[in-house]
């Protein structure tokens, strides 16, 4: 299998329902630990969550690579080669965006920002969609 084929297969996996469900479930269930992140001190719990996330990502990508007869080391080399090549068209640009996204999971600070952003987003959504005191009174038939 060519390098392009391996990268394409992993790209398809990263767009799959299995990948999206696993990653979004993990992020949704752990982002609240990053709610009060000041960006300066490293909380041990945050780092443990990050390590667990990396293990999950590495495991999923590793299984996919194993299924197609490649290894993580070979894949990393393929990614490095791909990132050095100039874009030939929109497909290359999209592929590099996917690769950059995948590499985000390898950097604690990027992960930390992503988790804090998700926590803030969930908080804002909950705040905007929570009933106010007046809404509760109306539902109970009180004015």
């Amino acid at each position: 299998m060519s390098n392009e084929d391996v990268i394409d297969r992993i790209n398809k996996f990263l767009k799959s329902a299995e990948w999206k469900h696993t990653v979004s479930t993990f992020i949704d269930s752990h982002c609240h630990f990053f709610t009060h992140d000041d960006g300066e001190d490293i909380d041990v719990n945050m780092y443990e969550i990050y390590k667990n996330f990396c293990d999950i990502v590495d495991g999923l990508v590793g299984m996919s690579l194993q299924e197609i007869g490649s290894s993580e080391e070979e894949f990393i080399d393929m990614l490095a080669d791909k990132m050095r090549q100039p874009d030939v068209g929109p497909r290359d640009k999209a592929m590099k965006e996917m690769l950059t996204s995948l590499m985000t999971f390898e950097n604690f600070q990027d992960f930390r920002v992503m988790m804090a952003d998700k926590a803030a987003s969930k908080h804002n959504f909950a705040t905007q969609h929570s009933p106010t005191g007046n809404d509760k009174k109306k539902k109970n038939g009180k004015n």
Side-chain angles (χ1 to χ4, degrees):
M1 184 173 281
S2 75
N3 289 0
E4 288 292 322
D5 291 338
V6 170
I7 292 172
D8 282 343
R9 292 280 296 270
I10 296 301
N11 188 31
K12 285 179 185 165
F13 173 70
L14 295 176
K15 293 177 181 178
S16 72
E18 176 187 3
W19 170 264
K20 289 177 183 177
H21 174 74
T22 302
V23 170
S24 64
T25 299
F26 185 94
I27 291 170
D28 284 343
S29 62
H30 292 88
C31 68
H32 66 278
F33 289 102
F34 296 77
T35 302
H36 302 291
D37 185 11
D38 63 7
E40 303 213 3
D41 294 329
I42 296 177
D43 182 295
V44 174
N45 292 326
M46 289 179 189
Y47 194 74
E48 284 300 315
I49 291 167
Y50 167 70
K51 292 309 289 175
N52 289 338
F53 185 76
C54 287
D55 290 345
I56 291 168
V57 167
D58 290 346
L60 289 171
V61 172
M63 282 189 328
S64 294
L65 288 167
Q66 191 174 27
E67 288 174 8
I68 57 177
S70 190
S71 71
E72 290 180 43
E73 294 79 18
E74 291 170 335
F75 185 61
I76 289 168
D77 290 342
M78 290 176 205
L79 295 181
D81 288 343
K82 185 70 173 170
M83 294 301 282
R84 284 190 293 267
Q85 297 173 5
D87 293 350
V88 178
R91 183 175 174 269
D92 287 343
K93 184 179 184 216
M95 185 75 65
K96 285 182 180 178
E97 288 172 1
M98 176 275 303
L99 298 176
T100 300
S101 172
L102 185 58
M103 287 187 262
T104 297
F105 301 133
E106 295 297 320
N107 180 300
F108 176 69
Q109 291 300 339
D110 290 344
F111 177 80
R112 187 178 182 173
V113 168
M114 175 190 66
M115 293 295 274
D117 287 349
K118 180 63 175 181
S121 173
K122 284 179 74 170
H123 175 76
N124 290 340
F125 181 83
T127 301
Q128 291 173 353
H129 294 87
S130 68
T132 63
N134 290 336
D135 291 340
K136 288 180 185 176
K137 288 179 185 176
K138 288 178 185 175
K139 288 180 183 176
N140 292 333
K142 299 177 185 173
N143 290 338

